Amino acid sequence: MTRARIIDGKAIAAKIRNHIALKTATLAQKHGITPGLAVILVGENMASQTYVRNKARATTAVGMESFGHLLPEETTQENLIALVHKLNADARVHGILVQLPLPGHMNEAAVLAEVTPEKDVDGFHFANVGKLVLGLPCLPPCTPSGILALLKETLGNLDGLRALVIGRSNIVGKPLSIMLTNENCTVTLAHSKTRNIAAECARADIIVSAVGKPEFLRGEWIKPGATVIDVGINHVLVPEDAGGDGEKKKLVGDVCFNEALDVAKAITPVPGGVGPMTIAMLLENTLKAACMQAGISLPEEDPQP
Ligand code: GUN
């Protein structure tokens, strides 16, 4: 039996970031515009701190400006919204991202609704979600965009394929189900109340899992030749090597990777699959937002001599 192709999200994302860097340079040279991305982090969630740091690094690496805003955990929702309004009005800022989750005393939907849709590079504002559903031009959400790019890179045309999306979050599952529908897939959106997940997997040409349950999706559920995208990022403790009685931390996805390798046609690893694509798509949205706000089309890649 042939083993699945491992989809190298890290390499594909690096290629996309290179293209973005070239276009960013052209935008600066031809139009004097440097795209700016503002990221707001509230509190000290460790995972969020890492994500925000990585986003800032990637932003400056492609030649964009990065504006970091750190607010204390006990900040009021009014304070946070006042900062969002300030950034909405700041001409140097073309994209605004409010890192989620927000502290429990805040209403996430109410905060996200205050980001002006033209700067909503996360694609979370209801105006962008509505446009996505209607198939109109919009700023699409980053992780689903990254998944779609990986699927197109792997499969080409997605017309008529059966896609199973597991997990109905507002960030990944729900918008991805719409985007795959717009790509002419026949889509099933499964979730925690789905009765027989194995049966749903058995008929899917594409499986995307975004539920955050370590290695719950078994190889024997997968249809031979299917393409599997694993969005899960799960930290688990495993025994130390060489028979010691200690434990070490390991990152695993939602899919039993080794089992899936023997059945699937292609599969994303964790880490190094979907994760790097999310940041690449965030940069793409920031570039797109800067161009939209200036009323110009996306630049060519080659800066003029
Ligand atoms: N938290 C986890 N994923 C995301 C994301 O894509 N955007 C934001 N803003 N917060 C997140």
Side-chain angles (χ1 to χ4, degrees):
M1 187 184 293
T2 54
R3 305 258 291 175
R5 173 189 155 198
I6 297 174
I7 303 170
D8 190 347
K10 214 168 146 187
I12 297 169
K15 213 163 105 184
I16 294 172
R17 288 201 311 272
N18 279 341
H19 288 295
I20 294 171
L22 291 172
K23 289 180 182 177
T24 301
T26 306
L27 188 65
Q29 194 184 66
K30 274 196 178 170
H31 300 279
I33 298 168
T34 301
L37 172 64
V39 176
I40 306 174
L41 174 61
V42 184
E44 292 177 7
N45 180 306
M46 292 270 285
S48 292
Q49 284 177 338
T50 306
Y51 292 142
V52 165
R53 208 171 29 245
N54 291 342
K55 285 169 189 173
R57 250 187 233 141
T59 304
T60 51
V62 294
M64 297 183 185
E65 266 207 276
S66 167
F67 305 95
H69 293 271
L70 184 57
L71 299 180
E73 179 89 20
E74 59 279 6
T75 298
T76 63
Q77 184 165 311
E78 288 67 33
N79 272 341
L80 173 57
I81 289 177
L83 173 58
V84 168
H85 288 171
K86 205 174 105 192
L87 296 171
N88 282 344
D90 187 336
R92 297 169 307 159
V93 172
H94 304 92
I96 302 169
L97 182 147
V98 182
Q99 185 64 31
L100 303 178
L102 289 171
H105 64 277
M106 292 192 186
N107 177 337
E108 281 184 357
V111 172
L112 296 176
E114 296 300 323
V115 176
T116 189
E118 292 76 22
K119 296 190 180 185
D120 171 37
V121 284
D122 249 335
F124 291 167
H125 191 282
F126 57 79
N128 280 315
V129 178
K131 286 180 180 173
L132 187 82
V133 172
L134 296 173
L136 298 172
C138 64
L139 291 169
C142 303
T143 300
S145 285
I147 293 168
L148 205 56
L150 291 179
L151 286 171
K152 285 185 176 174
E153 223 269 336
T154 307
L155 296 169
N157 193 324
L158 307 183
D159 277 5
L161 296 179
R162 279 188 187 276
L164 171 67
V165 179
I166 312 174
R168 57 179 155 179
S169 71
N170 290 339
I171 294 182
V172 183
K174 272 192 225 168
L176 180 63
S177 68
I178 301 296
M179 290 162 89
L180 289 169
T181 304
N182 291 346
E183 293 293 329
N184 301 320
C185 289
T186 302
V187 182
T188 301
L189 181 54
H191 45 74
S192 54
K193 299 286 190 288
T194 295
R195 297 243 166 97
N196 187 344
I197 195 79
E200 298 298 338
C201 288
R203 58 194 191 128
D205 304 304
I206 295 168
I207 301 175
V208 181
S209 184
V211 292
K213 284 194 205 165
E215 299 181 322
F216 95 100
L217 202 155
R218 307 304 305 259
E220 67 197 29
W221 299 357
I222 299 168
K223 181 166 100 169
T227 297
V228 179
I229 306 288
D230 191 346
V231 192
I233 299 176
N234 308 295
H235 297 272
V236 292
L237 285 172
V238 295
E240 293 266 22
D241 300 331
D245 56 3
E247 288 182 316
K248 61 177 181 183
K249 264 194 186 172
K250 190 181 162 203
L251 202 58
V252 299
D254 288 351
V255 181
C256 288
F257 186 75
N258 286 329
E259 292 180 10
L261 273 181
D262 290 332
V263 193
K265 170 158 77 185
I267 182 169
T268 56
V270 176
V274 174
M277 294 298 288
T278 298
I279 294 188
M281 295 298 131
L282 174 66
L283 300 174
E284 189 156 292
N285 272 354
T286 305
L287 179 64
K288 194 170 159 185
C291 292
M292 281 185 336
Q293 285 157 44
I296 56 180
S297 50
L298 272 178
E300 302 295 323
E301 289 184 8
D302 53 326
Q304 300 307 307

